[in-house]
Amino acid sequence: MRATVSEERLLPGVGSTGTPLLRLDGVRKQFGDEVVLDRVDLEVRGGALVGVVGGPGAGKTTLTSIAAGLLPPDDGVLWLFGEDLWDGSGLIRTGVALVPADDGAVLDRRPCRDVLVGAGMGHGLPRSAAERRATLLLAVCELTDVADLPVHGCTTGQRLLLRLATALLGERRLLVLDDPFTGVDAWAFGVVRAVLREFTAAGGGVLCAVRSPERVAPWCDRVVEPFRGRGCAFDSNTR
């Protein structure tokens, strides 16, 4: 039986303050002469899974990089857990993790378990604690059977689940996923969906950028298309 997110505390106390975990106010980003994001307004609250839709080259990676606190906007404000990220201490970045798109060119020969243990130790965990955490997350993400398999031998879906497990190593309040489902089979898609739903049920928030609304509209709380101007949005009817 798959372990659940709640079997060990994967989230700090999120609470219910009414403050969005993430809010973008009029965010604008330009590279050279190209305006990639133009006055984007967006928010993610605790317990919510928000989908962001845009075709190839629309600006999804730029948006997710800004939302995860990795890239500053040229204009507008990024509020993370109620704090202006680029005008504050920056320590709140530890509460958010980006699950990047798959890079098929990266051939990691380490076993999946070693990747997680190493990442846990990189977060400052002692080896014994990192090993326990890795074992739990392998179960949560249904990767126990491939724990000793080198990453380059995993399927696209298994690599996605490993990246998700790595993101959950820290005590995250917000997960940001960048175009995660390309080439992912139905089994892995279902596991990712279940893990994210457990994460939001525990009070976390999720922002998931995808190419097409069909794959996320049935299970997201809200689907937003911010690349057509200022945040056209509609709510799914699943909850």
Side-chain angles (χ1 to χ4, degrees):
M1 179 180 294
R2 182 172 67 85
T4 64
V5 171
S6 59
E7 284 190 31
E8 182 176 309
R9 191 167 68 97
L10 298 181
L11 280 168
V14 173
S16 179
T17 64
T19 301
L21 301 180
L22 170 72
R23 194 173 88 223
L24 278 65
D25 284 344
V27 163
R28 188 176 188 274
K29 190 66 182 180
Q30 182 171 345
F31 297 102
D33 295 330
E34 182 182 5
V35 177
V36 179
L37 302 177
D38 187 17
R39 297 170 297 162
V40 172
D41 299 323
L42 176 69
E43 72 173 36
V44 180
R45 293 182 175 270
L49 202 162
V50 177
V52 173
V53 176
K60 297 188 298 300
T61 295
T62 299
L63 179 62
T64 54
S65 296
I66 289 174
L70 303 177
L71 183 68
D74 293 332
D75 197 9
V77 181
L78 168 64
W79 301 93
L80 197 56
F81 316 127
E83 180 179 321
D84 180 348
L85 176 64
W86 294 99
D87 194 36
S89 67
L91 295 177
I92 53 175
R93 279 191 184 88
T94 58
V96 59
L98 174 67
V99 180
D102 188 33
D103 183 356
V106 176
L107 299 179
D108 196 330
R109 296 188 176 279
R110 293 176 297 167
C112 295
R113 187 189 306 277
D114 289 0
V115 170
L116 287 176
V117 172
M121 294 175 67
H123 281 291
L125 294 176
R127 174 172 285 277
S128 59
E131 289 174 346
R132 289 195 302 272
R133 190 79 156 183
T135 298
L136 169 69
L137 287 167
L138 287 166
V140 165
C141 294
E142 297 197 21
L143 293 173
T144 302
D145 290 345
V146 296
D148 298 317
L149 184 69
V151 175
H152 72 83
C154 294
T155 66
T156 301
Q158 289 166 340
R159 291 198 303 271
L160 167 58
L161 287 162
L162 183 62
R163 297 197 302 280
L164 178 58
T166 302
L168 288 167
L169 274 165
E171 291 187 338
R172 309 302 189 183
R173 300 171 66 184
L174 176 69
L175 294 178
V176 179
L177 291 83
D178 178 19
D179 203 8
F181 299 121
T182 301
V184 171
D185 59 38
W187 169 81
F189 177 78
V191 176
V192 171
R193 181 172 62 178
V195 172
L196 295 181
R197 270 299 172 204
E198 290 175 10
F199 183 81
T200 56
V206 175
L207 180 70
C208 184
V210 295
R211 299 184 184 191
S212 171
E214 285 78 12
R215 225 170 178 193
V216 294
W219 55 281
C220 282
D221 300 291
R222 197 159 191 250
V223 177
V224 183
E225 299 182 71
F227 307 109
R228 298 178 179 173
R230 297 197 60 180
C232 168
F234 61 91
D235 294 323
S236 69
N237 296 317
T238 58
R239 299 185 69 190

